[in-house]
Amino acid sequence: PFVIPEYLRGQLEEFEARRDISSINNYRRLLDSNPHQTCESLYEYFSQILEQHGPMEINNELLVGEYEHFPEEAQKIVEGEGGLKSFLLKSFNFVMVDNFICLRK
């Protein structure tokens, strides 16, 4: 197997740390510069979940659990739109039927 030589490991760790910070900063800039695009990405993400699993109650563990794993910046956008239920229902892709969130066909 490939092993990074001992004398290069410090440089590798420094590179990875810079890359991670750069990726986080780029993601934050993307969220800050285009919240509409972020919303559309989140709508698409929840559409995929509902396509796979069918209609779900808005407090379904899968939906809430996925939402809780979003980056903090994305959660702020959702909360700014009124929360998960209000955020989803602002999209024409979703409809609420008897406390179940469904994809609009």
Side-chain angles (χ1 to χ4, degrees), residues 51-101:
E51 282 176 6
Q52 282 186 319
H53 300 281
M56 295 182 177
E57 289 185 279
I58 194 66
N59 60 355
N60 180 284
E61 188 175 309
L62 178 62
L63 291 177
V64 174
E66 290 297 318
Y67 171 70
E68 289 175 350
H69 287 96
F70 286 173
E72 184 178 335
E73 292 83 7
Q75 287 184 12
K76 286 180 183 178
I77 291 171
V78 172
E79 294 304 316
E81 293 292 319
L84 186 59
K85 178 181 175 181
S86 176
F87 173 66
L88 289 176
L89 294 179
K90 287 184 178 184
S91 167
F92 292 112
N93 297 331
F94 305 96
V95 63
M96 194 75 160
V97 178
D98 294 330
N99 291 324
F100 281 82
I101 191 82

Side-chain angles (χ1 to χ4, degrees), residues 1-9 12:
F2 177 76
V3 177
I4 297 177
E6 187 70 40
Y7 69 94
L8 291 176
R9 289 185 187 167
L12 176 65

Side-chain angles (χ1 to χ4, degrees), residues 8-23:
L8 291 176
R9 289 185 187 167
Q11 292 176 2
L12 176 65
E13 289 173 4
E14 182 179 337
F15 170 77
E16 288 177 342
R18 286 184 182 180
R19 185 192 66 195
D20 289 344
I21 290 170
S22 175
S23 295

